[in-house]
Amino acid sequence: MLYFLIRRILATIPVLGMVALFVFFMLRLTPGDPAAILAGENGEPHQIEGIREALGLNKPILTQLTIWLGNILQGDLGESFFFNKKVTELIAMRVEATLSLAIVTLIITLAVAIPLGVLAAYKHGSWIDRLVMGFSVLGFSVPVFVLGYFLIFILSVQLKWFPVQGYKELADGFWTFLHHLILPSLTLSVIYIALIARMTRASVIEVLNEDYIRTAYAKGLSNKVVLMRHALRNAAVPIVTITGIGIALLIGGVVVTESVFNIPGLGRLTVDAVLGRDYPTIQALILVFSLVYVFINLLIDLSYTLLDPRIRY
Amino acid sequence: MQPVLKIDNLSVQLPKGADRQHAVENVRLEVLPREILCIVGESGSGKSVTGLSVMGLLPKGQLKPVSGKILLQDENLLEASEERLRDLRCTGMSMIFQEPMTALNPVMRCGDQIDEVLSTHTKLEQKERTQRIIRIMEEVRLPEPERLINAYPHQLSGGQRQRIMIAMALVLEPVLLIADEPTTALDVTTQSSILQLIRDIQHDHQTGVLFITHDFGVVAEIADRVAVMQWGKVVEFGEARQILSDPQHDYTRMLIGAVPSMKPGHREREESSQVVLNTEKLSKTYSERSLFRTTRTVYAAQQVDIELRRGETLGIVGESGSGKTTVARCIVRLIDPTSGEVFLDGNEIGQLRTGQLRPYRKRIQIIFQDPYRSLNPRRIVGDSIIEGATNYGISREDALKRAHSLMELVQLDPNSLDRFPHQFSGGQRQRICIARALTMEPEVLIADEAVSALDVSVQAQVLKLLDDVRRRFNLALLFITHDLRVAAQICDTVAVMSQSKVVEYGLTHDVFSNPRHEYTRSLLDAAPGKDWEFDLSLNTHG
């Protein structure tokens, strides 16, 4: 177990190294000059040159790379070209909104998807099953921005249940905070509900055919107990896997959702940084995202040992 | 005496499009207190459906009881509500199943699984429940109950798991125990101790037992009365001794006649026949490694020396985990031996690299246990059969011609080469597997438990086919089995394996009539129905 942990943590080093190199060169290969963007539409050539020198962009690429990597090793992610702030500060400011959005989305998703999936599996082949599967297909096919504006129109503009846009910090009070988060989280969760409900259904259907389910019925247990205590726990490994992947994908999902609902999170920061060719910020964000991804994967693998005593590392 | 279970005229309907209208039809039988009633029959005879009907556990929407009565102590279970049935399960009637490996929930501790029965059906306090659990675990002769209560099923052996199942079933002292092939998946020595346990415990608790089996050896061992089922009907019902010694119905006669004898038949043996394959000190070890050192070494096979002669059958017998399959797989090089040598016609093949091995591969072919899983379900059988031959450069036309004649040889219709595996029965599939092995024109054929998954009548036919094929092509046959009866009938020589070593090796007749090693003796002792000499002349199929 300890050996497994050490090995996995060591394995993240080359992964992050590759990501770092990849991002660095991809950005240098994309058209667009940060200095020109910063200088504005009427920037003179000598101003642009000055900015470039100030940012260190006139140095040879390999020199830029070694400086950047050296700084990372010292824990310094650099300074944003655009916002005139340390990138770490910038991320710290924006992380709460994204994290809140992700957590509320996850809670909604699990609370809806797992009961739906179990129900569909238990009523396998009935109209309930077909309804859940139909919803699932719909959830997959509707893009977040379409669904987002649709929900805003119905729930905010017409029914006035939720604010149209914006974000309130936790510091502004829990209910205000939650009130602003529900609509964006609901929008974002639809696709994950579709995904996880489907996975839960498939996984539970498979488990329901197992011999130990027959044993459980033979013991005189009720349907509810058989489903929740015996079937779901055995079906958990694939569900947890797909949930973990879902969380990782969520990071991509927040970019659009945060734009639609005007939430100042990491997704918006990414969009702004890309538009401004803000190299240090983009690089740092991608590194943080990949670190989160690696960490979630590790958590998934560790959770297997809790769910299934046969799995040991 | 008042029967604990009385089944009267029970018929269960099959879904439309099945091969017959009823899974069971007009079944009548009864189980008395303290009695073991065996239902015997082959797969598809309706014996499990009968058991599941009593428990009310028939798959919903597929099988439906349409007439008759099932009386458990005078209460008609077919009219009982779902809730009443739930209350009766484990309190009035219990069921144990064939596969102890899969019948327990793998993610729940054994003690908790027994506890579930108590907490569902009684109002006992936690402490009393724990005492009850430990007591029943002692009663089913599980070692160290205090420790096993916290074990997960995968940490127990097959026999121990079946004991947990029995403990679970009997903890509330039901009047009826339904045992559906409870020992079929177990080793012969484990089987014998579980049968003994069931007999003792039902006697002490006065439980009536409905024991479902396909094995007349088990019947001879345990049954008070017998019901023989064929095609959903009870064709013969009576006292066990009576039926075993004087079966009336043709089907019963056929089943009893198909049980292979424990006495080896007389087989001609030519001393001069040539050695095709032999192993020298063949060993396979698996080691688990942790960070710095090897923590645990498992010996799967140790220092195995065996010799296969042309036209002869060598049997490897032993229980699961004894290493018999490991030896077979090393010889075919599906796995690589850790040390030792394998000689094929004097050429060492045990340590060859993949590329060098290629010319030798076709000369050794293998047939596996489960014909349901050893054919690719998405390929027509013709393609499966010729794949090996075409891989060795034979044109498709020639290979198909060969497949055609081999299908005739294994007594299947050559025109069915374009069908898929699921369109064949188990016995037919095993014939296809034999044809597939033979298209390679091998010198050595390995059959790894090749008849273990088959019904006894089909088993007899496939055994006969294997023996015919061996004689006809002058093959060296390596026959791996856990079944001593089968080994006695088909093998010229046998090697008995235990704990990864060959403990006894000799002519079949010598080993069976005069076993030297203690382990061989215990194996022979444990064979179910060993004291009963089944009359082979009953076999209407010759």
mmCIF file of all heavy atoms in Angstrom, chain A residues 88-125:
data_model
loop_
_atom_site.group_PDB
_atom_site.id
_atom_site.type_symbol
_atom_site.label_atom_id
_atom_site.label_comp_id
_atom_site.label_asym_id
_atom_site.label_seq_id
_atom_site.Cartn_x
_atom_site.Cartn_y
_atom_site.Cartn_z
ATOM 1 N N THR A 88 -0.099 32.918 -8.709
ATOM 2 C CA THR A 88 -0.614 32.156 -7.564
ATOM 3 C C THR A 88 -1.727 32.937 -6.859
ATOM 4 O O THR A 88 -2.758 32.379 -6.495
ATOM 5 C CB THR A 88 0.507 31.855 -6.550
ATOM 6 O OG1 THR A 88 1.430 32.938 -6.556
ATOM 7 C CG2 THR A 88 1.233 30.587 -6.907
ATOM 8 N N GLU A 89 -1.511 34.242 -6.704
ATOM 9 C CA GLU A 89 -2.545 35.082 -6.079
ATOM 10 C C GLU A 89 -3.821 35.061 -6.904
ATOM 11 O O GLU A 89 -4.927 34.913 -6.387
ATOM 12 C CB GLU A 89 -2.063 36.534 -6.030
ATOM 13 C CG GLU A 89 -1.580 37.015 -4.691
ATOM 14 C CD GLU A 89 -1.048 38.435 -4.837
ATOM 15 O OE1 GLU A 89 -1.875 39.341 -5.021
ATOM 16 O OE2 GLU A 89 0.201 38.614 -4.823
ATOM 17 N N LEU A 90 -3.634 35.179 -8.217
ATOM 18 C CA LEU A 90 -4.741 35.217 -9.147
ATOM 19 C C LEU A 90 -5.588 33.949 -9.031
ATOM 20 O O LEU A 90 -6.815 34.000 -8.946
ATOM 21 C CB LEU A 90 -4.152 35.315 -10.564
ATOM 22 C CG LEU A 90 -4.930 36.025 -11.640
ATOM 23 C CD1 LEU A 90 -5.324 37.423 -11.205
ATOM 24 C CD2 LEU A 90 -4.060 36.090 -12.890
ATOM 25 N N ILE A 91 -4.875 32.815 -8.987
ATOM 26 C CA ILE A 91 -5.589 31.534 -8.883
ATOM 27 C C ILE A 91 -6.308 31.439 -7.547
ATOM 28 O O ILE A 91 -7.461 31.038 -7.468
ATOM 29 C CB ILE A 91 -4.621 30.352 -9.092
ATOM 30 C CG1 ILE A 91 -4.140 30.346 -10.539
ATOM 31 C CG2 ILE A 91 -5.285 29.022 -8.740
ATOM 32 C CD1 ILE A 91 -3.147 29.269 -10.881
ATOM 33 N N ALA A 92 -5.624 31.861 -6.483
ATOM 34 C CA ALA A 92 -6.217 31.793 -5.152
ATOM 35 C C ALA A 92 -7.506 32.603 -5.087
ATOM 36 O O ALA A 92 -8.485 32.195 -4.466
ATOM 37 C CB ALA A 92 -5.231 32.283 -4.104
ATOM 38 N N MET A 93 -7.522 33.748 -5.766
ATOM 39 C CA MET A 93 -8.717 34.590 -5.765
ATOM 40 C C MET A 93 -9.901 33.919 -6.454
ATOM 41 O O MET A 93 -11.048 34.129 -6.087
ATOM 42 C CB MET A 93 -8.427 35.913 -6.492
ATOM 43 C CG MET A 93 -7.728 36.955 -5.657
ATOM 44 S SD MET A 93 -7.191 38.302 -6.725
ATOM 45 C CE MET A 93 -8.735 38.784 -7.484
ATOM 46 N N ARG A 94 -9.569 33.174 -7.524
ATOM 47 C CA ARG A 94 -10.647 32.631 -8.346
ATOM 48 C C ARG A 94 -11.082 31.218 -7.959
ATOM 49 O O ARG A 94 -12.095 30.743 -8.446
ATOM 50 C CB ARG A 94 -10.200 32.576 -9.821
ATOM 51 C CG ARG A 94 -9.759 33.889 -10.388
ATOM 52 C CD ARG A 94 -10.973 34.824 -10.545
ATOM 53 N NE ARG A 94 -10.641 35.974 -11.359
ATOM 54 C CZ ARG A 94 -10.960 36.066 -12.642
ATOM 55 N NH1 ARG A 94 -11.592 35.090 -13.225
ATOM 56 N NH2 ARG A 94 -10.632 37.140 -13.326
ATOM 57 N N VAL A 95 -10.268 30.583 -7.107
ATOM 58 C CA VAL A 95 -10.507 29.156 -6.912
ATOM 59 C C VAL A 95 -11.812 28.869 -6.163
ATOM 60 O O VAL A 95 -12.475 27.888 -6.408
ATOM 61 C CB VAL A 95 -9.292 28.475 -6.242
ATOM 62 C CG1 VAL A 95 -9.266 28.750 -4.745
ATOM 63 C CG2 VAL A 95 -9.294 26.990 -6.503
ATOM 64 N N GLU A 96 -12.206 29.785 -5.273
ATOM 65 C CA GLU A 96 -13.396 29.506 -4.469
ATOM 66 C C GLU A 96 -14.640 29.306 -5.331
ATOM 67 O O GLU A 96 -15.381 28.337 -5.165
ATOM 68 C CB GLU A 96 -13.659 30.642 -3.473
ATOM 69 C CG GLU A 96 -14.821 30.298 -2.539
ATOM 70 C CD GLU A 96 -15.412 31.510 -1.833
ATOM 71 O OE1 GLU A 96 -14.764 32.010 -0.901
ATOM 72 O OE2 GLU A 96 -16.520 31.943 -2.212
ATOM 73 N N ALA A 97 -14.805 30.202 -6.310
ATOM 74 C CA ALA A 97 -15.999 30.138 -7.155
ATOM 75 C C ALA A 97 -16.054 28.802 -7.890
ATOM 76 O O ALA A 97 -17.090 28.124 -7.918
ATOM 77 C CB ALA A 97 -15.985 31.288 -8.152
ATOM 78 N N THR A 98 -14.926 28.413 -8.489
ATOM 79 C CA THR A 98 -14.906 27.177 -9.268
ATOM 80 C C THR A 98 -15.116 25.957 -8.385
ATOM 81 O O THR A 98 -15.882 25.055 -8.720
ATOM 82 C CB THR A 98 -13.572 27.056 -10.014
ATOM 83 O OG1 THR A 98 -13.443 28.188 -10.861
ATOM 84 C CG2 THR A 98 -13.514 25.793 -10.836
ATOM 85 N N LEU A 99 -14.423 25.966 -7.249
ATOM 86 C CA LEU A 99 -14.538 24.835 -6.332
ATOM 87 C C LEU A 99 -15.982 24.699 -5.855
ATOM 88 O O LEU A 99 -16.534 23.599 -5.817
ATOM 89 C CB LEU A 99 -13.598 25.072 -5.139
ATOM 90 C CG LEU A 99 -13.104 23.820 -4.432
ATOM 91 C CD1 LEU A 99 -12.324 22.956 -5.406
ATOM 92 C CD2 LEU A 99 -12.225 24.209 -3.245
ATOM 93 N N SER A 100 -16.623 25.824 -5.493
ATOM 94 C CA SER A 100 -18.007 25.781 -5.027
ATOM 95 C C SER A 100 -18.907 25.224 -6.118
ATOM 96 O O SER A 100 -19.755 24.365 -5.876
ATOM 97 C CB SER A 100 -18.508 27.187 -4.659
ATOM 98 O OG SER A 100 -17.552 27.852 -3.902
ATOM 99 N N LEU A 101 -18.720 25.748 -7.327
ATOM 100 C CA LEU A 101 -19.532 25.291 -8.450
ATOM 101 C C LEU A 101 -19.369 23.782 -8.633
ATOM 102 O O LEU A 101 -20.346 23.043 -8.801
ATOM 103 C CB LEU A 101 -19.101 26.035 -9.721
ATOM 104 C CG LEU A 101 -19.914 25.758 -10.978
ATOM 105 C CD1 LEU A 101 -21.371 26.138 -10.782
ATOM 106 C CD2 LEU A 101 -19.335 26.530 -12.169
ATOM 107 N N ALA A 102 -18.109 23.318 -8.568
ATOM 108 C CA ALA A 102 -17.840 21.893 -8.781
ATOM 109 C C ALA A 102 -18.487 21.051 -7.687
ATOM 110 O O ALA A 102 -19.098 20.022 -7.971
ATOM 111 C CB ALA A 102 -16.341 21.654 -8.839
ATOM 112 N N ILE A 103 -18.354 21.500 -6.433
ATOM 113 C CA ILE A 103 -18.883 20.686 -5.327
ATOM 114 C C ILE A 103 -20.406 20.623 -5.363
ATOM 115 O O ILE A 103 -20.995 19.534 -5.251
ATOM 116 C CB ILE A 103 -18.383 21.239 -3.968
ATOM 117 C CG1 ILE A 103 -16.884 20.962 -3.842
ATOM 118 C CG2 ILE A 103 -19.133 20.586 -2.819
ATOM 119 C CD1 ILE A 103 -16.228 21.614 -2.655
ATOM 120 N N VAL A 104 -21.044 21.786 -5.564
ATOM 121 C CA VAL A 104 -22.518 21.772 -5.609
ATOM 122 C C VAL A 104 -22.985 20.916 -6.788
ATOM 123 O O VAL A 104 -23.934 20.127 -6.672
ATOM 124 C CB VAL A 104 -23.080 23.208 -5.691
ATOM 125 C CG1 VAL A 104 -24.599 23.173 -5.828
ATOM 126 C CG2 VAL A 104 -22.691 23.996 -4.455
ATOM 127 N N THR A 105 -22.300 21.041 -7.920
ATOM 128 C CA THR A 105 -22.651 20.222 -9.085
ATOM 129 C C THR A 105 -22.536 18.735 -8.755
ATOM 130 O O THR A 105 -23.419 17.935 -9.071
ATOM 131 C CB THR A 105 -21.707 20.529 -10.265
ATOM 132 O OG1 THR A 105 -21.757 21.923 -10.509
ATOM 133 C CG2 THR A 105 -22.106 19.770 -11.509
ATOM 134 N N LEU A 106 -21.448 18.381 -8.080
ATOM 135 C CA LEU A 106 -21.211 16.976 -7.745
ATOM 136 C C LEU A 106 -22.310 16.446 -6.826
ATOM 137 O O LEU A 106 -22.822 15.341 -7.028
ATOM 138 C CB LEU A 106 -19.844 16.852 -7.064
ATOM 139 C CG LEU A 106 -19.370 15.436 -6.831
ATOM 140 C CD1 LEU A 106 -19.100 14.765 -8.156
ATOM 141 C CD2 LEU A 106 -18.111 15.434 -5.971
ATOM 142 N N ILE A 107 -22.689 17.276 -5.837
ATOM 143 C CA ILE A 107 -23.724 16.830 -4.899
ATOM 144 C C ILE A 107 -25.045 16.612 -5.638
ATOM 145 O O ILE A 107 -25.686 15.567 -5.492
ATOM 146 C CB ILE A 107 -23.904 17.866 -3.755
ATOM 147 C CG1 ILE A 107 -22.646 17.878 -2.892
ATOM 148 C CG2 ILE A 107 -25.132 17.525 -2.918
ATOM 149 C CD1 ILE A 107 -22.598 18.998 -1.878
ATOM 150 N N ILE A 108 -25.425 17.592 -6.465
ATOM 151 C CA ILE A 108 -26.677 17.436 -7.227
ATOM 152 C C ILE A 108 -26.603 16.181 -8.090
ATOM 153 O O ILE A 108 -27.530 15.362 -8.126
ATOM 154 C CB ILE A 108 -26.934 18.668 -8.123
ATOM 155 C CG1 ILE A 108 -27.165 19.905 -7.252
ATOM 156 C CG2 ILE A 108 -28.142 18.431 -9.043
ATOM 157 C CD1 ILE A 108 -27.419 21.172 -8.034
ATOM 158 N N THR A 109 -25.467 16.024 -8.785
ATOM 159 C CA THR A 109 -25.314 14.894 -9.702
ATOM 160 C C THR A 109 -25.509 13.568 -8.988
ATOM 161 O O THR A 109 -26.320 12.739 -9.402
ATOM 162 C CB THR A 109 -23.902 14.909 -10.328
ATOM 163 O OG1 THR A 109 -23.716 16.160 -10.975
ATOM 164 C CG2 THR A 109 -23.749 13.793 -11.328
ATOM 165 N N LEU A 110 -24.772 13.369 -7.888
ATOM 166 C CA LEU A 110 -24.834 12.077 -7.207
ATOM 167 C C LEU A 110 -26.216 11.845 -6.598
ATOM 168 O O LEU A 110 -26.750 10.745 -6.650
ATOM 169 C CB LEU A 110 -23.762 11.990 -6.128
ATOM 170 C CG LEU A 110 -22.323 11.983 -6.668
ATOM 171 C CD1 LEU A 110 -21.334 11.881 -5.530
ATOM 172 C CD2 LEU A 110 -22.112 10.843 -7.652
ATOM 173 N N ALA A 111 -26.800 12.916 -6.052
ATOM 174 C CA ALA A 111 -28.097 12.765 -5.399
ATOM 175 C C ALA A 111 -29.176 12.377 -6.396
ATOM 176 O O ALA A 111 -30.148 11.713 -6.050
ATOM 177 C CB ALA A 111 -28.483 14.058 -4.681
ATOM 178 N N VAL A 112 -29.025 12.794 -7.641
ATOM 179 C CA VAL A 112 -30.045 12.473 -8.638
ATOM 180 C C VAL A 112 -29.670 11.207 -9.417
ATOM 181 O O VAL A 112 -30.487 10.304 -9.603
ATOM 182 C CB VAL A 112 -30.234 13.654 -9.619
ATOM 183 C CG1 VAL A 112 -31.235 13.280 -10.707
ATOM 184 C CG2 VAL A 112 -30.695 14.891 -8.867
ATOM 185 N N ALA A 113 -28.412 11.123 -9.844
ATOM 186 C CA ALA A 113 -28.025 10.083 -10.797
ATOM 187 C C ALA A 113 -28.082 8.687 -10.200
ATOM 188 O O ALA A 113 -28.571 7.755 -10.849
ATOM 189 C CB ALA A 113 -26.629 10.369 -11.330
ATOM 190 N N ILE A 114 -27.599 8.519 -8.976
ATOM 191 C CA ILE A 114 -27.510 7.161 -8.434
ATOM 192 C C ILE A 114 -28.884 6.554 -8.146
ATOM 193 O O ILE A 114 -29.150 5.445 -8.601
ATOM 194 C CB ILE A 114 -26.544 7.139 -7.222
ATOM 195 C CG1 ILE A 114 -25.132 7.334 -7.784
ATOM 196 C CG2 ILE A 114 -26.657 5.839 -6.441
ATOM 197 C CD1 ILE A 114 -24.035 7.355 -6.783
ATOM 198 N N PRO A 115 -29.791 7.298 -7.459
ATOM 199 C CA PRO A 115 -31.136 6.722 -7.315
ATOM 200 C C PRO A 115 -31.798 6.437 -8.664
ATOM 201 O O PRO A 115 -32.410 5.385 -8.842
ATOM 202 C CB PRO A 115 -31.905 7.811 -6.557
ATOM 203 C CG PRO A 115 -30.865 8.593 -5.850
ATOM 204 C CD PRO A 115 -29.646 8.553 -6.701
ATOM 205 N N LEU A 116 -31.643 7.343 -9.621
ATOM 206 C CA LEU A 116 -32.235 7.116 -10.944
ATOM 207 C C LEU A 116 -31.690 5.847 -11.579
ATOM 208 O O LEU A 116 -32.427 5.029 -12.115
ATOM 209 C CB LEU A 116 -31.922 8.299 -11.877
ATOM 210 C CG LEU A 116 -32.887 9.464 -11.914
ATOM 211 C CD1 LEU A 116 -32.514 10.407 -13.051
ATOM 212 C CD2 LEU A 116 -34.318 8.982 -12.092
ATOM 213 N N GLY A 117 -30.367 5.692 -11.514
ATOM 214 C CA GLY A 117 -29.723 4.523 -12.127
ATOM 215 C C GLY A 117 -30.164 3.226 -11.470
ATOM 216 O O GLY A 117 -30.481 2.252 -12.151
ATOM 217 N N VAL A 118 -30.212 3.234 -10.134
ATOM 218 C CA VAL A 118 -30.619 2.021 -9.408
ATOM 219 C C VAL A 118 -32.072 1.681 -9.738
ATOM 220 O O VAL A 118 -32.408 0.525 -10.016
ATOM 221 C CB VAL A 118 -30.446 2.209 -7.880
ATOM 222 C CG1 VAL A 118 -31.030 1.023 -7.133
ATOM 223 C CG2 VAL A 118 -28.983 2.370 -7.532
ATOM 224 N N LEU A 119 -32.910 2.719 -9.768
ATOM 225 C CA LEU A 119 -34.320 2.511 -10.084
ATOM 226 C C LEU A 119 -34.472 1.922 -11.487
ATOM 227 O O LEU A 119 -35.199 0.950 -11.706
ATOM 228 C CB LEU A 119 -35.067 3.842 -9.980
ATOM 229 C CG LEU A 119 -36.582 3.753 -10.108
ATOM 230 C CD1 LEU A 119 -37.161 3.057 -8.892
ATOM 231 C CD2 LEU A 119 -37.198 5.137 -10.275
ATOM 232 N N ALA A 120 -33.764 2.504 -12.442
ATOM 233 C CA ALA A 120 -33.842 2.019 -13.828
ATOM 234 C C ALA A 120 -33.380 0.568 -13.909
ATOM 235 O O ALA A 120 -33.960 -0.239 -14.628
ATOM 236 C CB ALA A 120 -33.016 2.901 -14.745
ATOM 237 N N ALA A 121 -32.337 0.240 -13.161
ATOM 238 C CA ALA A 121 -31.816 -1.127 -13.200
ATOM 239 C C ALA A 121 -32.822 -2.091 -12.588
ATOM 240 O O ALA A 121 -33.079 -3.171 -13.122
ATOM 241 C CB ALA A 121 -30.495 -1.205 -12.443
ATOM 242 N N TYR A 122 -33.426 -1.669 -11.462
ATOM 243 C CA TYR A 122 -34.382 -2.548 -10.796
ATOM 244 C C TYR A 122 -35.614 -2.767 -11.664
ATOM 245 O O TYR A 122 -36.157 -3.860 -11.744
ATOM 246 C CB TYR A 122 -34.770 -1.953 -9.438
ATOM 247 C CG TYR A 122 -35.779 -2.780 -8.702
ATOM 248 C CD1 TYR A 122 -35.478 -4.092 -8.323
ATOM 249 C CD2 TYR A 122 -37.033 -2.276 -8.395
ATOM 250 C CE1 TYR A 122 -36.410 -4.871 -7.670
ATOM 251 C CE2 TYR A 122 -37.971 -3.050 -7.736
ATOM 252 C CZ TYR A 122 -37.653 -4.346 -7.376
ATOM 253 O OH TYR A 122 -38.572 -5.120 -6.731
ATOM 254 N N LYS A 123 -36.045 -1.693 -12.338
ATOM 255 C CA LYS A 123 -37.226 -1.781 -13.205
ATOM 256 C C LYS A 123 -36.782 -2.005 -14.647
ATOM 257 O O LYS A 123 -37.421 -1.517 -15.582
ATOM 258 C CB LYS A 123 -38.028 -0.472 -13.122
ATOM 259 C CG LYS A 123 -38.583 -0.179 -11.753
ATOM 260 C CD LYS A 123 -39.911 -0.869 -11.565
ATOM 261 C CE LYS A 123 -40.467 -0.573 -10.181
ATOM 262 N NZ LYS A 123 -41.608 -1.415 -9.852
ATOM 263 N N HIS A 124 -35.705 -2.722 -14.802
ATOM 264 C CA HIS A 124 -35.089 -2.962 -16.101
ATOM 265 C C HIS A 124 -36.116 -3.367 -17.162
ATOM 266 O O HIS A 124 -36.839 -4.342 -16.995
ATOM 267 C CB HIS A 124 -34.055 -4.080 -15.922
ATOM 268 C CG HIS A 124 -33.340 -4.433 -17.167
ATOM 269 N ND1 HIS A 124 -32.899 -3.503 -18.062
ATOM 270 C CD2 HIS A 124 -32.971 -5.630 -17.672
ATOM 271 C CE1 HIS A 124 -32.304 -4.097 -19.061
ATOM 272 N NE2 HIS A 124 -32.336 -5.398 -18.855
ATOM 273 N N GLY A 125 -36.193 -2.578 -18.256
ATOM 274 C CA GLY A 125 -37.097 -2.927 -19.346
ATOM 275 C C GLY A 125 -38.487 -2.306 -19.220
ATOM 276 O O GLY A 125 -39.270 -2.358 -20.155
#
